């Protein structure tokens, strides 16, 4: 490959183009100005989106990555610019989202001197990145960036941070680029054991009450079709974690709902009655398992997972199957017998009927005066027909949306799972819309989390991204208030909000906006929002003290799930 003499800053831009990057989210500043200057020269090849806060840039990159499967790219300056990325990086790490963050740094001779806007971003970001590296020589930039993209997207994906000193950005170098396809001692996809797959097939064929819990690994492995074929051959009921939602169509006959703290009644209770639990691409998070000492103790457990660190970390399994499930599931499918478990499936249906009469029907067809969050989601379902990407923040609205939203396509549920980041949804919805411009993107947000990144309305307006924003306003930090009501004797400490005029704020950003306070106006308002070809904001005033049920209290068993 012929070489080209250029600056380190230009090497950054050319390396991004070599990695097929065409979209960057970021915020300029002094220490990264040389890179931005070069970016200005390549505007025809790279679209840079100026967010209103660096945290917004990370969440936008996450939203883009989650709907496309591509690596999200973020740029920020040193000091506060870099530290403002940390929440989004931590969110991406725990939710396995591939992201490359490039930060500027003070000149190498100033490192460690407490220079203006100097922070040790390598030390700060080490616990929340898959890999990070500081570059002080221009010649290292192409090699390090190639390695960064490979690490971010290979195996179990995650965020990578590259910190580049200002002198390295100015320094001249002989540029050539070679993509990275392997790194010595790094094995992103572990070899699977055929013996373990055979053992698993025997357990599956023998089981009378098998149960599958699937997570985001199905989506990250692009194994939705393989997964669907596997469950249809075996006839095994399957339930999803929050991040696994949309890997299987919501209305599939073997899709029995959500597990976890606010999951469905049957999948939680019957976890402790199945004789075989097959965990596919999920990590046994505490919000899924409840009290580990009582979780599925009666069952044999098969765990299919790409990350060896997750095997036996929380739950001891009988048969671990390492590897990418896109490769291992077809082998397992070829070995198991055709089967059906209609009687067992009916047990899930019986529990669903109980949950429907005691919880669901009252939420989606309420007799109460005030609007419920669930009926808003019902109207969005009717208007979008299960084809929208729905982005949620964190709180009661998130649990209600995950419980009631309908999805026909994978990569349609975008939410902050493991970290639970308030403020995630608005910028993530922008990224999702830019990643899937031909799909409807609806952000469902609580009034608390909305105000944490509300400034990203400016980015949505400037990019003219047709994101539909729904704020479910109960004038409370609703999830915290629910816990205060149930476990702290209604001591509502610092959870009631005095909110601004959200409609006026949206209009201040030149975004069309409306407010719904009465049930009779809900359907027409939602339909008008969805039909709009531009960004649109809809505030819905909902019941102040509604709670989300079912619920597993902290420390309780999954079978102790409460319906009220």
């Amino acid at each position: 490959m012929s070489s080209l003499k250029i600056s380190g800053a230009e090497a950054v831009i050319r390396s991004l183009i070599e990695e097929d990057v065409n979209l960057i989210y970021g915020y300029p500043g002094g220490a990264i100005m040389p890179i931005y200057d070069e970016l200005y020269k390549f505007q025809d090849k790279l679209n840079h989106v100026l967010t209103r806060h660096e945290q917004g840039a990370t969440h936008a990159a996450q939203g883009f990555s989650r709907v496309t499967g591509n690596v999200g790219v973020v740029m920020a300056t040193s000091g506060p610019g870099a530290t403002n990325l940390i929440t989004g990086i931590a969110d991406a790490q725990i939710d396995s989202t591939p992201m490359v963050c490039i930060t500027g740094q003070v000149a190498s001779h100033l490192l460690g001197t407490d220079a203006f806007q100097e922070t040790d971003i390598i030390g700060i970001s080490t616990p929340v990145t898959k890999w990070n590296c500081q570059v002080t020589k221009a010649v290292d930039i192409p090699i390090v960036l190639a390695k960064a993209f490979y690490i971010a997207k290979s195996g179990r994906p995650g965020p990578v941070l590259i910190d580049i000193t200002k002198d390295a950005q100015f320094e001249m170098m002989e540029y050539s680029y070679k993509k990275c396809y392997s790194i010595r001692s790094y094995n992103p996809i572990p070899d699977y054991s055929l013996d373990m797959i055979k053992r698993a097939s025997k357990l599956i064929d023998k089981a009378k009450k098998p149960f599958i819990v699937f997570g985001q690994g199905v989506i990250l492995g692009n194994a939705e079709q393989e997964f669907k074929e596997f469950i249809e051959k075996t006839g095994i009921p399957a339930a999803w974690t929050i991040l696994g939602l949309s890997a299987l169509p919501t209305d599939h006959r073997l899709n029995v709902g959500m597990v976890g703290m606010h999951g469905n009644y049957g999948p939680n209770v019957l976890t402790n009655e199945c004789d075989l639990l097959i965990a596919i691409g999920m990590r046994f998070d505490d919000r899924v398992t409840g009290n580990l000492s009582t979780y599925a103790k009666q069952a044999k457990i098969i765990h299919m997972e790409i990350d060896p660190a997750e095997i036996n970390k929380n739950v001891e399994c009988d048969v671990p199957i390492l590897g990418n499930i896109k490769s291992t599931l077809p082998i397992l499918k070829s070995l198991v017998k055709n089967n059906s478990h209609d009687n067992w499936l009916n047990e899930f249906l019986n529990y669903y009927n109980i949950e429907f009469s005691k919880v669901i029907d009252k939420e989606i067809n309420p007799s109460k005066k005030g609007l419920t969050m669930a009926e808003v989601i019902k109207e969005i379902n009717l208007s979008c027909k299960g084809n929208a990407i729905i982005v949620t923040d964190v709180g009661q609205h998130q649990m209600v949306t995950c419980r009631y939203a309908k999805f026909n396509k994978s990569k349609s549920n975008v939410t902050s799972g493991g970290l639970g980041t308030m403020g995630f949804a608005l910028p993530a919805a922008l990224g999702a819309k830019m990643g899937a411009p031909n799909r409807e993107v609806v952000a469902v947000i609580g009034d608390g989390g909305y105000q944490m990144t509300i400034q990203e309305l400016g980015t949505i307006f400037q990019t003219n991204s047709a994101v539909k924003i729904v704020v479910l306003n109960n004038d409370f930090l609703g999830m915290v208030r629910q816990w205060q009501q149930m476990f702290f004797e209604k001591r509502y400490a610092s959870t009631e909000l005095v909110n601004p005029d959200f409609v006026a704020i949206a209009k201040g950003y030149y975004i069309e906006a409306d407010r719904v306070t009465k049930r009779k106006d809900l359907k027409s308002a939602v339909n008008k929002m969805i039909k709009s070809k531009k960004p649109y904001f809809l505030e819905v005033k909902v019941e102040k003290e509604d709670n989300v049920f079912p619920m597993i209290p902290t420390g309780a068993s999954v079978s102790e799930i409460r319906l009220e």
Side-chain angles (χ1 to χ4, degrees):
M1 185 182 293
S2 61
S3 62
L4 177 71
K5 192 157 189 176
I6 59 174
S7 69
E10 185 176 343
V12 171
I13 302 304
R14 287 185 178 273
S15 298
L16 293 176
I17 293 169
E18 290 281 355
E19 290 291 343
D20 301 317
V21 173
N22 54 28
L23 181 61
I24 303 168
Y25 297 94
Y27 206 99
I32 200 169
M33 206 174 295
I35 294 175
Y36 269 87
D37 187 53
E38 293 298 333
L39 179 62
Y40 182 82
K41 303 171 187 176
F42 287 86
Q43 293 179 70
D44 59 328
K45 294 184 178 179
L46 283 171
N47 178 22
H48 177 273
V49 176
L50 174 64
T51 57
R52 298 306 185 261
H53 191 284
E54 292 88 352
Q55 182 182 343
T58 57
H59 295 327
Q62 286 178 273
F64 170 83
S65 178
R66 293 273 285 273
V67 302
T68 63
N70 297 328
V71 178
V73 179
V74 177
M75 294 203 308
T77 195
S78 62
T83 58
N84 282 344
L85 301 177
I86 292 298
T87 296
I89 292 172
D91 195 289
Q93 172 79 340
I94 201 165
D95 281 356
S96 304
T97 305
M99 184 163 67
V100 170
C101 298
I102 299 169
T103 54
Q105 184 55 276
V106 300
S108 54
H109 72 278
L110 293 174
L111 291 172
T113 68
D114 291 333
F116 177 67
Q117 289 194 335
E118 180 198 0
T119 51
D120 178 11
I121 194 60
I122 295 298
I124 291 169
S125 66
T126 294
V128 293
T129 50
K130 190 176 177 184
W131 181 63
N132 64 15
C133 181
Q134 187 173 75
V135 179
T136 59
K137 298 292 183 183
V139 69
D140 295 328
I141 287 172
I143 299 167
V144 169
L145 281 176
K147 190 175 176 181
F149 276 88
Y150 174 65
I151 290 173
K153 64 189 176 185
S154 58
R156 180 178 180 177
V160 171
L161 183 139
I162 306 302
D163 192 45
I164 307 174
T165 60
K166 197 166 185 179
D167 52 325
Q169 297 173 46
F170 279 122
E171 187 180 10
M172 302 301 289
M173 61 168 291
E174 295 287 334
Y175 176 80
S176 63
Y177 196 81
K178 184 179 179 182
K179 285 192 177 184
C180 180
Y181 295 101
S182 66
I183 298 170
R184 191 173 64 180
S185 79
Y186 172 55
N187 182 26
I189 303 177
D191 294 331
Y192 61 81
S193 164
L194 186 57
D195 180 59
M196 287 295 178
I197 297 176
K198 288 178 178 177
R199 287 174 57 186
S201 70
K202 291 176 182 176
L203 286 177
I204 291 169
D205 286 342
K206 188 171 67 173
K208 302 299 182 187
K209 292 184 174 184
F211 179 40
I212 292 171
V213 177
F214 63 96
Q216 191 185 200
V218 176
I219 297 170
L220 294 174
N222 295 309
E224 295 92 341
Q225 184 62 30
E226 290 83 355
F227 176 70
K228 182 170 172 285
E229 290 174 3
F230 174 74
I231 66 167
E232 287 176 349
K233 181 176 182 180
T234 58
I236 300 176
W240 35 269
T241 68
I242 284 177
L243 292 180
L245 175 57
S246 87
L248 183 70
T250 312
D251 292 332
H252 192 283
R253 67 180 187 85
L254 292 171
N255 188 336
V256 294
M258 180 168 78
V259 292
M261 180 172 282
H262 291 285
N264 293 105
Y265 193 32
N268 277 300
V269 171
L270 294 175
T271 294
N272 282 356
E273 294 184 24
C274 67
D275 58 5
L276 177 65
L277 179 62
I278 308 167
I280 301 179
M282 56 85 77
R283 59 188 180 85
F284 290 112
D285 178 75
D286 63 295
R287 286 293 176 102
V288 167
T289 65
N291 188 338
L292 280 170
S293 67
T294 60
Y295 182 78
K297 291 301 179 183
Q298 78 294 337
K300 295 285 186 183
I301 295 178
I302 298 168
H303 193 179
M304 305 184 74
E305 173 62 47
I306 200 169
D307 185 356
E310 294 297 342
I311 299 294
N312 296 328
K313 186 178 82 173
N314 295 326
V315 174
E316 291 283 332
C317 67
D318 298 278
V319 181
I321 300 177
L322 287 169
N324 188 333
I325 56 173
K326 191 171 183 68
S327 300
T328 56
L329 261 180
I331 300 171
L332 183 58
K333 177 196 158 197
S334 71
L335 295 174
V336 295
K337 298 174 182 175
N338 286 302
N339 210 338
S340 61
H341 297 277
D342 292 341
N343 291 337
W344 172 232
L345 195 60
N346 282 336
E347 292 191 40
F348 287 90
L349 180 60
N350 292 337
Y351 276 104
Y352 175 80
N353 290 336
I354 294 169
E355 182 182 349
F356 185 85
S357 64
K358 291 193 173 184
V359 178
I360 297 171
D361 189 42
K362 295 174 183 177
E363 290 296 313
I364 62 174
N365 301 304
S367 57
K368 62 184 75 171
K369 182 179 180 182
L371 285 159
T372 68
M373 295 184 184
E375 61 182 317
V376 179
I377 304 306
K378 176 184 174 182
E379 290 301 334
I380 293 172
N381 287 337
L382 290 170
S383 190
C384 296
K385 298 179 173 57
N387 295 319
I389 294 169
I390 299 183
V391 186
T392 47
D393 215 76
V394 172
Q396 286 182 315
H397 73 277
Q398 176 192 34
M399 296 296 102
V400 170
T401 304
C402 288
R403 283 177 50 77
Y404 294 107
K406 301 292 185 181
F407 296 107
N408 298 325
K409 301 177 182 178
S410 185
K411 296 184 176 71
S412 296
N413 169 56
V414 179
T415 194
S416 173
L419 197 65
T421 304
M422 293 177 69
F424 171 88
L426 189 62
L430 164 67
K433 184 63 179 178
M434 297 187 82
N438 295 323
R439 295 190 64 189
E440 197 69 66
V441 175
V442 182
V444 180
I445 317 176
D447 48 315
Y450 180 59
Q451 294 178 80
M452 288 193 171
T453 50
I454 195 171
Q455 71 278 356
E456 298 308 331
L457 287 173
T459 316
I460 290 170
F461 161 65
Q462 186 169 346
T463 58
N464 195 30
S465 297
V467 176
K468 310 302 167 59
I469 306 153
V470 180
V471 167
L472 302 180
N473 182 4
N474 58 11
D475 294 310
F476 265 113
L477 300 177
M479 187 60 82
V480 184
R481 183 212 55 76
Q482 177 169 338
W483 281 52
Q484 289 172 334
Q485 177 184 335
M486 296 179 68
F487 308 117
F488 294 88
E489 298 175 337
K490 290 191 175 183
R491 293 188 293 274
Y492 293 163
S494 302
T495 46
E496 189 162 11
L497 293 166
V498 178
N499 285 318
D501 185 336
F502 289 127
V503 170
I505 290 171
K507 289 181 177 179
Y509 281 102
Y510 307 102
I511 293 173
E512 190 174 357
D514 196 6
R515 177 184 293 113
V516 172
T517 60
K518 296 179 180 178
R519 183 167 288 115
K520 67 181 179 64
D521 300 322
L522 179 61
K523 180 184 284 291
S524 61
V526 169
N527 286 336
K528 181 182 177 183
M529 174 186 71
I530 297 301
K531 287 177 182 177
S532 174
K533 302 300 182 184
K534 296 181 179 181
Y536 196 102
F537 173 84
L538 179 64
E539 176 188 7
V540 183
K541 294 285 286 186
V542 295
E543 282 278 320
K544 285 192 71 170
E545 296 185 65
D546 265 0
N547 291 330
V548 185
F549 286 103
M551 180 181 182
I552 303 170
T554 301
S557 165
V558 290
S559 54
E560 296 175 303
I561 187 168
R562 293 169 54 173
L563 292 175
E564 56 188 16

